[in-house]
């Protein structure tokens, strides 16, 4: 974590306040890299983690350009690390591996971020490719910090770039729907980059994730279909296929001591690609003269390079050529996608394979024994919340995985995998559950599930109030009511249990909002709700007298009074000026107002905070009210302005203690303010990848830890100094705290941005911070009932079920009426026959 200096100027970057980073950027194509035996580096958001696999020690290198780490690469000797960053006009930084200090900076190779870096065999040149919008290929003389050549690599995303290990003048790039072969050629006008697009010919066009350059200049690449493609010049010479049952390899392997068998096709005559799914790793091993590949089918295969050299096909009839791997290892028969392999540094024959779920596998090549070495969160996080009484945090992954961590001791405690995709999460307040172990999860199919965490997750109940994704969950101040908002344009209100033995959410009814919900908040008196829609509207609904179950045929709560909030036509934003007194300043009109997040104020009746966006983006919090006499207030975070949509504040909330007001920008930057002086704020720059939106930010119940999560799959825990923030907010100066300073070279070169993260289970504080011991209880008393889960997406919502029940009741009543009529008619007929006989 960074040491705070309280002045109007930026402070030095000192990441000693970073407590821990959970998560692994499995989508990053340079993750991980081997540093030394049993030591590796990998990217997580805006940090590079130096991980020792023997003692589980972690150290962190924090990104400088505030947009995340794009890629990393070593010089051949592994004494220099090159880090390509993301942000606005980001740089490539060269670090000395011995002390992890920056000693070179390469400027001008990207507009928004670097996608990949490679170093030539001689170690005197670096090549890089940038991400959108420029997609530039740049050749660097890194020692002189200068550009040798630069050219647009392609019109779409470029994944990789590599120098040929055998010819520094030959490079290859690949990406979406293409592979390109480059030569640095000397012409009459000087040195030029000449690129030739690969021609797929009869082979289907494919994204090329990875490739290897052979000694003779030919290139072997992977493909989306799982085929290996052999390129000669810029054309495909052949496509390699395999034939099951004819290769002398084992389909069995030992995973954690258990033998597992990989499935094979029942058709022995069917030709197969090298891997069942896409290929993500291709490496030429010159010492063993073999090609190593890995892919989406969870297998690693070894191919004799001589078989590829001898490949010949009749181009008039086919491009397919059959070869067989001489060894194949199945890492996970359940469908793990291998994304990268860390090569061994010794002759022990051990490699480490990392899959798309964040698991690192230790593979012993001799014995074929496979064991799980590391396990990290990798799925995008859509929701985060903390316990109101313990050092616990819960995250909801987009793939349906819910995880709980003890963030002080840096340990994962439990997880549960749900069949639905998660959309949001809320930790229930103490008034609802005295143990503070209840967690409410919202899902994309409209289902809400109540879990209790007692060392493991147990389902209490599941209901389906909506038909589309849950976007927001909130509790009334007394926790008597819970409301859920969704993309189906409705708010559903539940009565929460108030007794220890009650484990049911009792449906009250729903409000029609017409448009998809973005955020919602309960008023302090519990008589009103305010919400924003994804169309940018802000509306308050009066629910007084409506919070009781209805005996009607529908859950719809009608005859609701609403107030639509709009900025008056004359409303303008106030730009604070140090030379003016409070209340003066320069004014500029707000156009195209689009409300985002809303939260009722604790200190002003009918007052609320709201954030908004416009075409320039907006990093301000507005204090508003439905009272026409209320004077609007603007609280801006000037350091976030100028970043476009990245600066938009998409979330605003109070801390559990109520001592602080937090706002989280789209890029993951966080401002913390004391309600006693909202003009004063502490700014914490994003620790996430700027290519992914932040999911939220929360403070621990004791306000000592700031936790942020994002769609990059990373959960970041930082130590802060709440007492200093609270005390300094009582003064009028300074107006800002910051934890970053990179606006001049003197703050970059030689900066100490390498921090000891400690081991899992350790709670040793960084310098300048008091030690905080985890208060998480190993177990809690009491039991939870096992509720019935909802796993079928076609199940009816509460309203649909009630309507269906009412229809069945009506049909039953109609049938009963028909039966009575038929009985009456039958009786009358009998009586008529008797009378007729008389």
């Amino acid at each position: 974590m960074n040491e705070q200096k309280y002045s109007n100027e930026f402070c030095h970057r000192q990441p000693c306040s970073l407590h821990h980073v959970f998560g692994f950027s499995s989508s990053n194509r340079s993750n991980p890299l081997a540093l030394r035996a049993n030591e590796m580096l990998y990217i997580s958001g805006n940090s590079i983690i130096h991980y020792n696999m023997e003692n589980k020690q972690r150290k962190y290198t924090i990104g400088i350009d505030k947009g995340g780490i794009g890629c990393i690469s070593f010089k051949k000797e592994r004494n220099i690390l090159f880090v390509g960053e993301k942000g606005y006009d980001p740089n490539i930084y060269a670090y000395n591996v011995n002390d992890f200090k920056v000693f070179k900076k390469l400027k001008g190779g990207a507009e928004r971020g670097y996608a990949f870096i490679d170093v030539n065999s001689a170690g005197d040149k670096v090549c890089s490719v940038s991400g959108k919008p420029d997609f530039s290929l740049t050749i660097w003389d890194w020692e002189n910090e200068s550009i040798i050549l630069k050219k647009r690599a392609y019109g779409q995303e470029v994944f990789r770039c590599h120098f040929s290990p055998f010819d520094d003048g030959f490079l290859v790039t690949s990406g979406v729907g293409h592979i390109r072969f480059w030569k640095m050629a000397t012409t009459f006008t000087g040195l030029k980059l000449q690129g030739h697009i690969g021609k797929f010919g009869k082979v289907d066009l494919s994204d090329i994730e990875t490739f290897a350059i052979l000694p003779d200049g030919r290139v072997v690449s992977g493909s989306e279909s799982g085929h290996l493609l052999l390129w000669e010049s810029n054309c495909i010479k052949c496509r390699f296929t395999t034939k099951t049952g004819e290769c002398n390899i084992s389909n069995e392997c030992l995973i954690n001591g258990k033998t597992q068998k990989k499935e094979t096709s029942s058709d022995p005559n069917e030709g197969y690609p090298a891997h069942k799914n896409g290929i993500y790793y291709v490496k030429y091993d010159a010492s063993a003269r073999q090609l190593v590949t890995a892919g989406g089918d969870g297998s690693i295969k070894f191919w004799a390079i001589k078989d590829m050299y001898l490949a010949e096909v009749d181009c008039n009839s086919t491009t397919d050529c059959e070869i067989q791997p001489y060894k194949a290892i199945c890492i996970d028969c359940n469908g793990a996608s291998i994304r990268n392999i860390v090569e061994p540094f010794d002759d022990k024959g051990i490699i480490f394979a990392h899959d798309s779920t964040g698991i690192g596998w230790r593979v012993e090549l001799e014995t074929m024994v496979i064991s799980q070495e590391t396990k990290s969160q990798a799925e995008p996080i859509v929701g985060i919340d903390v316990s109101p009484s313990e050092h616990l945090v819960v995250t909801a992954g987009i793939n349906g995985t819910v995880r709980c961590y003890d963030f002080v001791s840096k340990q994962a405690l439990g997880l549960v995998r749900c069949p639905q995709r998660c959309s949001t999460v809320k930790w229930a307040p103490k008034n609802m559950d005295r143990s503070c172990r209840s967690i409410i999860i919202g899902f994309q199919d409209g289902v809400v599930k109540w879990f209790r965490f007692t060392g493991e997750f147990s389902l209490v109940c599941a209901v389906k109030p909506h038909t589309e994704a849950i976007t927001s969950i909130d509790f009334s101040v007394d926790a008597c009511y819970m409301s859920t908002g969704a993309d189906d344009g409705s708010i559903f209100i539940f009565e929460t249990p108030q007794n220890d033995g009650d484990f049911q959410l009792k449906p009250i009814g729903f409000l029609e909002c017409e448009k998809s919900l973005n955020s919602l908040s309960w008023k302090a008196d519990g008589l009103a709700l305010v919400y924003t829609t994804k169309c940018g509207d802000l509306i308050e609904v009066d629910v007084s007298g409506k919070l009781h179950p209805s005996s009607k045929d529908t859950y719809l709560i009608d005859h609701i009074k609403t107030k639509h909030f709009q900025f008056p036509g004359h409303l303008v934003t106030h730009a604070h000026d140090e030379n003016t007194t409070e209340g003066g300043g320069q004014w500029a009109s707000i156009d195209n107002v689009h409300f985002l997040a809303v939260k009722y104020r604790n200190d002003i009746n009918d007052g609320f905070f709201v954030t908004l966006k416009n075409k320039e983006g907006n990093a301000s919090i507005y204090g508003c009210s439905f009272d026409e006499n209320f004077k609007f207030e603007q609280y801006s975070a000037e350091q976030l302005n100028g970043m476009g949509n990245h600066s938009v504040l998409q979330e605003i909330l109070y801390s559990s203690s109520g001592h602080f007001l937090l706002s989280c920008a789209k890029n993951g930057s966080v401002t913390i303010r004391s309600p006693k002086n909202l003009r004063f704020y502490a700014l914490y720059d994003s620790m996430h990848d700027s290519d992914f939106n932040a999911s939220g930010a929360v403070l621990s119940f004791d306000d000592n830890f700031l936790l942020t999560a994002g769609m990059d799959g990373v959960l970041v825990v930082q130590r802060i100094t709440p007492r200093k923030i609270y005390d300094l907010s009582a003064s009028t100066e300074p107006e800002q705290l910051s934890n970053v300073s990179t606006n001049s070279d003197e703050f970059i070169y030689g900066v100490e941005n390498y921090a000891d993260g400690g081991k899992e289970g350790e709670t040793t504080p960084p310098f300048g911070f008091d030690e905080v011991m985890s208060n998480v209880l190993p177990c809690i008393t009491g039991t939870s009932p096992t509720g019935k889960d909802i796993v079928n997406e076609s199940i009816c919502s509460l309203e649909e079920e009630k309507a269906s029940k009412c229809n069945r009741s009506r049909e039953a009543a109609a049938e009963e009426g028909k039966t009575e009529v038929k009985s009456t008619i039958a009786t009358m007929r009998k009586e008529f026959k008797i009378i007729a006989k008389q």
Side-chain angles (χ1 to χ4, degrees), residues 482-504:
M482 181 186 80
S483 59
T484 60
D487 278 338
D488 61 4
S490 67
I491 298 173
F492 211 104
I493 301 175
F494 294 88
E495 183 180 354
T496 61
Q498 301 303 307
N499 301 318
D500 290 341
D502 190 359
F503 294 100
Q504 292 296 322

Side-chain angles (χ1 to χ4, degrees), residues 195-384:
H196 300 279
I197 293 289
K199 299 177 181 178
F200 284 83
K202 296 179 181 179
V203 177
D204 291 340
L205 189 70
S206 171
D207 295 349
I208 305 295
E209 281 279 351
T210 184
F211 56 85
I213 303 174
L214 304 181
D216 62 356
R218 289 186 287 184
V219 174
V220 178
S221 77
S223 64
E224 290 179 276
S225 63
H227 289 93
L228 285 171
L229 308 177
L230 178 63
W231 298 84
E232 191 171 69
S233 183
N234 65 325
C235 297
I236 293 178
K237 180 179 181 181
C238 64
R239 183 178 72 170
F240 292 119
T241 62
T242 63
K243 193 171 185 179
T244 57
E246 292 189 359
C247 54
N248 185 24
I249 62 172
S250 173
N251 290 319
E252 294 184 353
C253 57
L254 287 173
I255 298 182
N256 292 329
K258 297 181 179 179
T259 301
Q260 296 195 24
K261 189 171 182 179
K262 183 179 178 181
E263 295 180 0
T264 58
S265 173
S266 59
D267 185 358
N269 298 316
E270 183 180 354
Y272 282 87
H275 293 269
K276 285 185 178 180
N277 295 314
I279 298 175
Y280 300 101
Y281 179 86
V282 177
K283 184 69 178 289
Y284 172 64
D285 184 351
S287 61
R289 294 190 59 78
Q290 65 181 4
L291 197 76
V292 184
T293 64
D297 57 358
S299 65
I300 303 173
K301 296 186 179 182
F302 301 82
W303 314 78
I305 200 66
K306 66 178 182 179
D307 294 341
M308 297 184 176
Y309 280 160
L310 298 174
E312 292 293 340
V313 295
D314 182 1
C315 297
N316 295 324
S317 59
T318 182
T319 58
D320 289 350
C321 177
E322 279 190 9
I323 62 171
Q324 302 300 326
Y326 70 86
K327 182 188 290 186
I329 301 172
C330 176
I331 294 293
D332 186 359
C333 299
N334 295 322
S337 175
I338 304 301
R339 295 302 175 125
N340 206 351
I341 295 175
V342 179
E343 300 88 354
F345 277 88
D346 46 40
D347 57 359
K348 293 181 179 179
I350 297 174
I351 62 174
F352 294 92
H354 285 257
D355 67 27
S356 56
T357 65
I359 297 177
W361 300 91
R362 177 188 174 97
V363 183
E364 298 180 18
L365 299 179
E366 293 282 337
T367 61
M368 304 276 281
V369 173
I370 302 168
S371 57
Q372 185 175 300
E373 180 70 26
T374 61
K375 187 174 183 180
S376 301
Q377 178 168 299
E379 69 274 6
I381 300 173
V382 295
I384 176 176

Side-chain angles (χ1 to χ4, degrees), residues 756-770:
D756 189 344
K759 303 176 183 179
E760 294 180 5
E762 289 185 348
T763 59
T764 304
F767 178 77
F769 292 83
D770 296 330

